Amino acid sequence: MNVAEERNTVKQNPRVLISGASIAGPALALWLTRYGFNVTIVEKAPEVRQGGQAVDFKGVTHRTVLERMGILEDVRRARVVSSGDGILVNADGRQIATMPAEFSGGEIEIARGDVARILYQRTAASCEYLFGDSITALTETAEGVEVNFEQSAPRVFDLVVGADGIHSNVRRLAFGPEAAYVRYLGHYYALVDIGSEVKGEDLMYNEPGRMAATGGPKAPAFFVFASRPLQYKRDDVEGQKKLLIDAYRGGAWKIPDLMQQVQRAEGFYMDSVSRVTMDRYSKGRVVLLGDSAYGNTLGGFGTGLAIVGAYVLAGELHRAGGDYAAAYAQYESKFRKYAKVSQQVNAGRLLAPSTRLGLYTRNRMFSVAPLFKGLMKLMDHFATDIKLDDYTGIA
């Protein structure tokens, strides 16, 4: 082994720190602990986040990975029962089109929090969780990565994985500021728990540049609106509510009543519709996984990309026998084409077209069978466009 190879190799049973305990991080931990890695997961939240919007799995590739993970049946049991096709209505509440259920949801639809809970239950005994904590500094040395935390004492890890979402803290610390990698796509979205008043049919109403939906799988109320970039603090919920209410002033249908309910809602989450673009997924001993590397808000493929990416990254680390540089290179080589879908979707334009012509065209796409079937065939191709290696037989 030459000097360069020795520098890129970690010892047996390497210590891996994963930032993020949603889906990508625990999915990676599940595989790494099976392969003999010592895994620690740090998560800023005080516990596993429950609830959240519905996410979906689609196609043989997602099913295969879930089955190999041993959680396919758990996921199926926790799946969300679809309310059927979404009904697109006009300002009077009259149906004008339908959004087929197979478009808005996948083959298996499940609350994000339920996936996180299943993964936590499968990994809690085999790896260490540090809840209520966050990384403040990363310093790479010849021996590993020195990590400072907000709460815990500094420690050294062989490898660090950023699985902490589109606003990744690890990406910021290791690669640079968010603005260099995250592109705003012109829309914001909000998920609001406004109580039981809106349960029932999945209704969706549009005006140019804004959408309001109730009763669907994402949340009791779901909003998407076009906007110039907005300035707000991510922890200022009341300030974000005001921005949402301002964006929907003058709206018809149920919007005035919905905005009143937004003011008193306890469950509220708002963020930009944005895309992550990275020239490389790794830097030294640090590697990115899931939305931190190839996120696309509301793109419909994020959860699938997370679990398949975790499978490939863990498998390549196992196969490389400690040569993390080789493993990272293989992960990127094998996965980048599959993740390319995240660079091709702009959900804001589809959900909240900016013109009446755009709304008409979108609705027609759902109504004309050949167009819709062609779109679904393309989505199926995106979900399965990767050859899965079998890493289980590697010694």
Side-chain angles (χ1 to χ4, degrees), residues 149-163:
F149 299 93
E150 286 184 355
Q151 305 295 331
S152 304
R155 292 163 63 175
V156 176
F157 295 88
D158 296 298
L159 306 173
V160 174
V161 182

Side-chain angles (χ1 to χ4, degrees), residues 100 102-103 361-379:
E102 59 266 40
F103 176 81
T361 304
R362 191 272 315 273
N363 295 347
R364 286 285 293 168
M365 178 187 69
F366 293 135
S367 302
V368 178
L371 290 177
F372 180 72
K373 288 181 180 179
L375 177 63
M376 293 306 300
K377 185 176 181 180
L378 181 63
M379 291 177 68

Side-chain angles (χ1 to χ4, degrees), residues 167-201:
H167 302 294
S168 172
N169 182 42
V170 168
R171 188 188 59 228
R172 177 181 61 82
L173 292 171
F175 290 80
E178 179 173 306
Y181 305 104
V182 179
R183 178 189 172 195
Y184 172 58
L185 297 180
H187 291 76
Y188 288 85
Y189 74 101
L191 306 167
V192 189
D193 185 356
I194 58 176
S196 60
E197 302 95 274
V198 297
K199 288 184 178 178
E201 290 182 313

Side-chain angles (χ1 to χ4, degrees), residues 23-306:
I23 294 176
L28 179 66
L30 184 149
W31 288 112
L32 290 181
T33 53
R34 286 186 189 177
Y35 297 147
F37 291 67
N38 294 316
V39 179
T40 298
I41 298 180
V42 59
E43 167 59 48
K44 189 171 185 178
E47 59 187 3
V48 175
R49 291 186 174 98
Q50 298 299 312
Q53 70 190 66
V55 297
D56 54 80
F57 300 104
K58 53 177 72 74
V60 64
T61 298
H62 295 178
R63 286 198 311 274
T64 298
V65 172
L66 292 171
E67 187 171 28
R68 291 179 183 178
M69 293 171 76
I71 66 170
L72 177 58
E73 292 310 312
D74 291 339
V75 168
R76 281 178 168 159
R77 280 191 292 270
R79 68 193 303 172
V80 174
V81 178
S82 174
S83 58
D85 293 345
I87 301 173
L88 282 66
V89 299
N90 64 13
D92 297 323
R94 181 172 60 85
Q95 180 174 335
I96 56 174
T98 59
M99 179 183 289
E102 59 266 40
F103 176 81
S104 57
E107 180 181 328
I108 304 174
E109 199 165 20
I110 179 173
R112 175 179 290 277
D114 285 337
V115 183
R117 172 184 54 80
I118 291 167
L119 289 170
Y120 175 72
Q121 292 172 346
R122 291 300 185 100
T123 56
S126 58
C127 66
E128 175 188 20
Y129 277 84
L130 301 176
F131 286 107
D133 208 348
S134 183
I135 300 169
T136 59
L138 299 170
T139 305
E140 185 163 341
T141 70
E143 302 301 319
V145 184
E146 296 177 355
V147 181
N148 288 4
F149 299 93
E150 286 184 355
Q151 305 295 331
S152 304
R155 292 163 63 175
V156 176
F157 295 88
D158 296 298
L159 306 173
V160 174
V161 182
D164 45 357
I166 203 164
H167 302 294
S168 172
N169 182 42
V170 168
R171 188 188 59 228
R172 177 181 61 82
L173 292 171
F175 290 80
E178 179 173 306
Y181 305 104
V182 179
R183 178 189 172 195
Y184 172 58
L185 297 180
H187 291 76
Y188 288 85
Y189 74 101
L191 306 167
V192 189
D193 185 356
I194 58 176
S196 60
E197 302 95 274
V198 297
K199 288 184 178 178
E201 290 182 313
D202 181 356
L203 302 178
M204 177 174 166
Y205 170 72
N206 277 101
E207 294 171 352
R210 54 189 181 186
M211 180 274 285
T214 62
K218 291 291 184 187
F222 174 37
F223 304 94
V224 179
F225 62 95
S227 173
R228 70 184 190 285
L230 300 174
Q231 299 298 319
Y232 60 91
K233 295 180 180 178
R234 292 185 59 209
D235 58 355
D236 181 8
V237 172
E238 293 306 312
Q240 293 170 38
K241 286 182 178 180
K242 184 179 184 305
L243 290 173
L244 179 66
I245 291 169
D246 287 344
Y248 280 79
R249 291 195 186 281
W253 189 53
K254 299 179 180 179
I255 286 177
D257 179 57
L258 290 173
M259 291 303 107
Q260 288 185 358
Q261 295 183 60
V262 165
Q263 288 181 318
R264 58 179 182 269
E266 294 186 5
F268 182 94
Y269 180 81
M270 182 173 130
D271 203 350
S272 64
V273 177
S274 298
R275 175 189 299 137
V276 178
T277 303
M278 302 291 298
D279 292 333
R280 62 189 190 281
Y281 298 157
S282 64
K283 184 176 182 181
R285 294 172 179 261
V286 178
V287 65
L288 301 176
L289 172 67
D291 283 352
S292 65
Y294 29 81
N296 186 329
T297 319
L298 304 180
F301 290 86
T303 306
L305 289 174

